[in-house]
Structures are given as C-alpha cells and as structure tokens.
Amino acid sequence: MCSISLYFEISFFKILNRKFVSMKKALLLSILIIPFTIFGQFLKQSELSIIENGSLIKNPLTGGLNSCQLSNIDLNSDGKKDIFVFERVGDRVLCFLNNNDGVGTDFDYSQDYSKDFPELNKWALLVDFNSDGKEDIFTYNDSYVKVYRNTSQGENLSFQIETQALISDLGPIVSAIIISEVDIPSFVDVDGDQDIDVLTFKQSGGYVEYHQNQSQELYGNCESLVFELKTDCWGEFFEGLNTYDFNSCNEDAIVEQGETRSSGAHSGSSSLAIDMDGDNDMDFILGDVSFNNLNLLINGGDSQNASMVSVNQDFPIGNGSDISAEINSFPAAFYLDLNNDDIKDLVVSPNIDNNSENFESIMVFLNTAQDDNPTFEFSQKDFLQDNTLDFGSGAYPIVIDYNNDGLKDLLIGNYGYFNNSNLISQLALLRNIGSLSEPNFEVFDRDFGGLSTIALDTILNETVKGIFPALADLDNDDDVDMIVGDNNGKLHYFKNNANAGQDAVFELENVNFFNIDIGQHSAPFLFDMNDDNLFDLIIGQVDGTITYAENMGTIDNPVFNTLTEDFGGISVNNDESLYGFSTPFVFEEDNEINFLIGSESGRVYHYKSVNKDLSMNFELISDNFQSIGKGKNTAILFDDFTNDGKRDLFLGMQSGGLFYFVNDSINTSLDKYSNDFLVKIYPNPSNKQLTIDTDKESQISIYSSIGQLILKKKIQGRSTIDISFLSPSYYLIHIQQNGVSEWRKIIKK
C-alpha cells in the first residue's frame, strides 16, 4: 500500500464561476470547458522561478540535459565565449551566455538564440573553417557532412548553407565523405597549415581516414572545403573492442584486417584530436559505444605521418587528473573554453540517446596549462545540469492542487531516473508558491507517494518502468483518484481513501486495472467523451495511435471492459519511425472535443472532433501545433496557470525537463475570475531592490518562506523596497487593499 497527501477542494474551482453538469465534472473539467482561443499564434516560451532545497534553480526550463555536444561561440558579439549545446536526445539546440567578467563558469540559459540555428541532426560541432573569427556548423546529413557558414553581423546571428556534403578525392573516384550518425568525427588542422581537415572512422571497421583539406595547397587560403584522402589508416593503428593494434597498417594488412577483424559496419566511436604533449602533432582521444571510458592514443610520429605508439585507457589520469573520464555509456570528448581564461578545457558527455546518468553526465576537466600541452584537473560531473530542472528520462506533467491553496501545482511522471544503469521511475510534486496570476514552483517531493518502491508489475515482481499519471473522481466521493500508466502497456488504479475535507490518501487498489494491456507505453487521460457524466479513458500508445475505453459503469463504479483501437483515426507516427509514442491531452473548445498529442518526433499534433461524433474520424488541424515541438517524446499540459482565461502550456520531453509557454493572445470570449488588484512588482527575481506600483493605498507585509515577518509598511503609487539584506531564497508578500488581500511571491537572487 502507498499513501499520498493530496486534497482538491471544490471551492478552488468555484472562483471560475462556471456552471457544470455535475460537481464531479467541475472538479476536473472546469479548466477544460472555459472558452479559450487556441488557433492563433499565441504561445510564447517563457521562464518561471523554481526552487529546490531552498535555492533558486538558475536555469530551470531547459528541457533537460542528457547527451550533450558542446562548442564555443560568441552569440551576442560581446567578445565572450558562450556555449552552444547540441542535445542529441531530440536534436535540440540550447544556448548559454557567458556571464563571467573574469575567470569562472557562470552561464545563463537563453531562449533567444536557438531559433537562429538551422535544423540539426545526430551531431553538430562548431568550427571556424575560414578563419574569419566566426564559428561555422559541421553536422550530420544522411551519412554525409553538411556545413553552414556563419554569416552573422554584429548581434544578428545567422547561417547559410556552404555545402550539403563534404567531397573528397579518394584516388580512383571523387565521393562524399561518409560519416555514421553514431560517430563523432574530428574537424581539426591535422597538418598545421591553418585549414580544417577531417578525421573519421571507416565504416567498415576500426581504421581512421584522414581527409586533408586542399584549400591552402590550391588557393593559399582557408576559404574552401576541398578534400583529398591521404590515408585510410591514419595513426597506423586498429581499434577493436577496447583494444588496439599498433603498426598494423600496410595495404595488404588493411584488407586482411578489415575482413577478419571487422564484422559489418563500424559500431560507433567518438573522436577528439588535440596535441596532448606539445610536439606539434595530433594525438587522439577516443570513446566507443562498447566501453565507458576515454582512451588517449599518443602520436609518436609527426604532423605529416601520424603513428600511434601507446594508449592510456584511464584518461585523463596521468594527464593531471586523479579520476578518469568515465561515462556509463559511450563517452564523447569536446575541447572548449569553459571558465573564460582563453584556455580550452575538456568536456565529456554520453553520445547515446539513453544514457545511464541523468544528473551527472557532463564531466568537466579544467585545463590548468595550455591548449597544445594541457593538464586536466577534474572540476565536476554535472556541468550546466546542476543549474537546471531535470526529472531523469521523460517528463509527463499533469495539473493538481494538492494542498488546497487555490494554486495549480504540478505532478511530473517520468520514464525513470538512471542510477548506475538501474532505471527507477518516480512521481515528482512541484508546489506552486506563486499567485493566481504569477505561477512559480518549489520542487516539493521527487518521489511523491513513494511510487518508486511499489511493485506494480506483479507478473515480473518489480517496480514499474515509466509513470504516466491521470487524475479524476472515479467513485463519486468528492475527491480525485489516480490512474497510472506504465511502459509495459498496463494501468494501475490508486483510490483516494481520505475522509471528506482531508488531504487525499492514495492507496493502490488495483494492479493491471481491468486487465487493460495495450502492449507498451500506456499514457492515460480521463475525460467525459460522450457527455454522460462519466470519465472515459483515452490512452496513448507506442505506435502513435489512441485507444478509447468508454466508461460503461456508473458514477460510483467505473467499468472499462471494451477497448476501441485506432480511435478517431488519430496517429502521430510521422512514418520516419516504427513508433509514435502518443501522449494525449483532451479538452473541449467551441463545442468540439480537441486533442493535443505529444509524439516521439517532438511535434505536437492537434485533432478535433466533427460535431462531437465519436464514430467519425477526428479532423487533423495541425501536425505541428503552434510550432512548439521540441525534443523527443513530448507530453502536453494545456491549462490556465495565470488565471486570465487563456490556456498556457507545459511541454515535457524524453530528456527529462520542461518548457513553459505562456498564452499572450487576446481573448475576446473571456469569462474569468475578476482580480481587483492593480499591483505590479518588479524586477522579480531581484538581488537589490523591488519596485511596487499600486493604484490604491496598500498594506504590504513581507514574510520568509517559514512565515517570519520581515517588513511591514503602507505604500501607494510607486515605492522602492530594499531587499539587498535578505538571503537568497523566496519570500511572500501579503498585499491588503480595502479589506481584501492577495499573496505574491518574490525571489531574492
């Protein structure tokens, strides 16, 4: 058995001043039947203040960071090296601005620059190939290398296509350079002539190809990308399964070894070529899909004729560090300046979609020497991750008011946290500590109700993998119950056994609810589809379709014994995959039932019914709703969090984080709770002072997070409040005007 404290008070919904067919539907569906405008371009990505363990999370809404590729770039032309992050999980671009005036690793996540980058896939590295001081993009393009030239002017970031594929003279033929989607090649000046060459593993096995850039040789500059294959056994070594053969390259040996030592296509390796010992030639740092450590190969030759002579399989131990760069799955190394000292540092992150550590998967080794003879000192395992909100792998948000304060809190299900390769699924609670109009949150419990310890799968006798929660009052007792879907395709029922007026107590009532088993990825949603005042089941599936289970029971006793597959002809499978991973959110708008559905591709699909006829196929309105698609395996929460009668949107994704989109449309059919307070508080968060604007005489009282009164005064008009003496945390302001009051939250940075 498991218990969860939760209470939905019906009075919270009464402030919406709505008439519903029953109090039961008011409890859950009040937010679903308010007239909203949803069809224009109105959703704007926004930020929220989120606190965990008493501290403000610096960059909370990044969507999560799991498998990252990092490069330097000056995004805003301020002369500082910012950070470009390509998140392999979902092919996302994230930008972090350098916030350091001196040496330091302080970076601010920015939403403003990602949109300026083109669509990128599998891997993306920034390299200035033409020596104009602006980093260009090298990225995967269907086994080829696509290059974008940086054409930015001042603060206006822009890129244009340079080539769809890098071409190399292979001797008998001229062909595109082939690079696997799982490899990370090296784009580096191998021969010391200032133009960018290419090192990449052969597709047939563990040899490295060296494609020399002929720009200097032909034109005397770095402007061109013209290549010639100099050798298909650069470094004179063969990489096996975490083993190496040196001096193994001659024409006969390549053929022989390629046949005997390689079995099919190359499985995948990451590579970073840098000069580790200051002898003006490239040494080679390798990661591989088959091992969890970085290997350093030392070049005993020269810049023209590389020859690897030794390997350090505990790198960077022996090069200054006292620990190795160990990643639980497929490490990849990147070389960039992280602490604003004009010296490149070493970053290590997984090069795989499902990495084994969600919170400690970006390792940093700071360089205490120089670029071409580095000494690496371990710094941290969670670079950038320590300042973001992350729920492991997968984030599936739903709304709840667990503590009956009238504010909408968040429950976040997930696929699971990876801990030493063990997947642990949990349900997180984020408590809303803001106001009716300004939501902000505190991470209250990352294992809400202890679901991680409950053996929901009785057949396998193990904890469930993947938690998709849904809430509704299923037994007509004036409180909400919970259904949890799991990755095995089953549903589990938690009944709320609390007494009236008390915090809810969820107890596991039924494992494998009604023996529903859709195979994989059961993502449930509860909604009255046929206006019979009973909550029906809408279940997202791994293939991208929807399964519908009509409630054939009573208001006191639900019965779901008939499943309708491929409901409404809905599908979010974009034909680029065998899967779709549909996660539905259902609401009513303009007397039609609407579906917003997250998908494996990251896009959000919008379907609506036709005359509410459930026997007909639903109409596809958009396969890219509001163009908000980000990441992979998205999940939707579409709700009014600012109490303005317009729905805002939380977007969860496989990389374990959230995005928040505020609705800034003009709503002409607004029927909302009237707020008489014309009070503005800014800036918020702040580190020195607050400005408060009010049109009426107001009594304000500032309290700490534990209820201690800090300041009390009367104000009117514009007032400035000094908060520099306060410790960094969140605080509450109580505003009183003419016998009524409101609470607001402020953040002291």
Side-chain angles (χ1 to χ4, degrees), residues 570-726:
I570 294 172
S571 177
V572 298
N573 189 328
N574 62 3
D575 296 326
E576 296 180 0
S577 169
L578 297 175
Y579 308 109
F581 289 96
S582 53
T583 53
F585 186 97
V586 189
F587 60 100
E588 189 169 331
E589 169 76 22
D590 295 334
N591 201 36
E592 295 289 355
I593 297 172
N594 288 260
F595 279 69
L596 290 182
I597 310 172
S599 67
E600 183 188 40
S601 69
R603 292 186 174 187
V604 177
Y605 289 67
H606 177 204
Y607 283 85
K608 74 171 183 177
S609 64
V610 180
N611 300 321
K612 298 187 75 171
D613 187 345
L614 302 186
S615 67
M616 299 177 60
N617 282 348
F618 279 51
E619 179 185 359
L620 176 62
I621 304 301
S622 173
D623 64 357
N624 190 16
F625 175 72
Q626 300 288 319
S627 299
I628 61 171
K630 296 176 178 288
K632 184 179 181 181
N633 289 2
T634 46
I636 309 300
L637 170 57
F638 194 42
D639 204 320
D640 181 10
F641 278 86
T642 56
N643 195 41
D644 61 357
K646 298 178 291 187
R647 294 182 185 273
D648 312 299
L649 186 142
F650 280 93
L651 185 70
M653 59 199 66
Q654 184 176 325
S655 49
L658 299 173
F659 285 106
Y660 175 60
F661 296 85
V662 67
N663 190 328
D664 64 354
S665 66
I666 299 175
N667 193 343
T668 58
S669 60
L670 183 62
D671 182 13
K672 63 182 275 298
Y673 172 68
S674 176
N675 189 344
D676 293 327
F677 282 87
L678 297 177
V679 178
K680 295 182 178 180
I681 302 175
Y682 59 94
N684 190 18
S686 176
N687 62 351
K688 293 182 180 180
Q689 61 185 27
L690 290 174
T691 298
I692 303 178
D693 290 344
T694 177
D695 66 328
K696 301 176 184 178
E697 184 179 78
S698 304
Q699 177 81 52
I700 66 164
S701 304
I702 299 180
Y703 294 87
S704 71
S705 60
I706 60 174
Q708 179 185 7
L709 179 64
I710 297 172
L711 181 147
K712 186 175 184 179
K713 66 181 301 184
K714 289 184 178 181
I715 63 170
Q716 186 171 357
R718 177 167 295 177
S719 301
T720 300
I721 308 296
D722 181 16
I723 62 170
S724 61
F725 66 96
L726 297 177

Side-chain angles (χ1 to χ4, degrees), residues 326-385:
E326 185 172 321
I327 296 289
N328 281 338
S329 183
F330 199 173
F334 307 93
Y335 205 38
L336 65 156
D337 182 11
L338 296 181
N339 60 348
N340 212 40
D341 63 356
D342 292 323
I343 301 172
K344 293 182 179 181
D345 309 293
L346 181 71
V347 182
V348 188
S349 184
N351 187 40
I352 195 167
D353 283 354
N354 294 312
N355 65 287
S356 52
E357 293 290 345
N358 303 110
F359 306 111
E360 296 183 344
S361 61
I362 305 179
M363 300 184 70
V364 168
F365 298 83
L366 296 177
N367 187 352
T368 60
Q370 56 195 37
D371 290 348
D372 59 356
N373 191 10
T375 299
F376 295 120
E377 181 178 292
F378 172 72
S379 177
Q380 63 183 112
K381 292 184 176 181
D382 56 357
F383 180 63
L384 301 179
Q385 296 171 307

Side-chain angles (χ1 to χ4, degrees), residues 527-536 551-555:
F527 186 83
D528 182 4
M529 295 289 294
N530 52 6
D531 291 328
D532 62 356
N533 296 331
L534 303 178
F535 289 103
D536 307 302
N551 189 343
M552 305 296 291
T554 67
I555 196 170

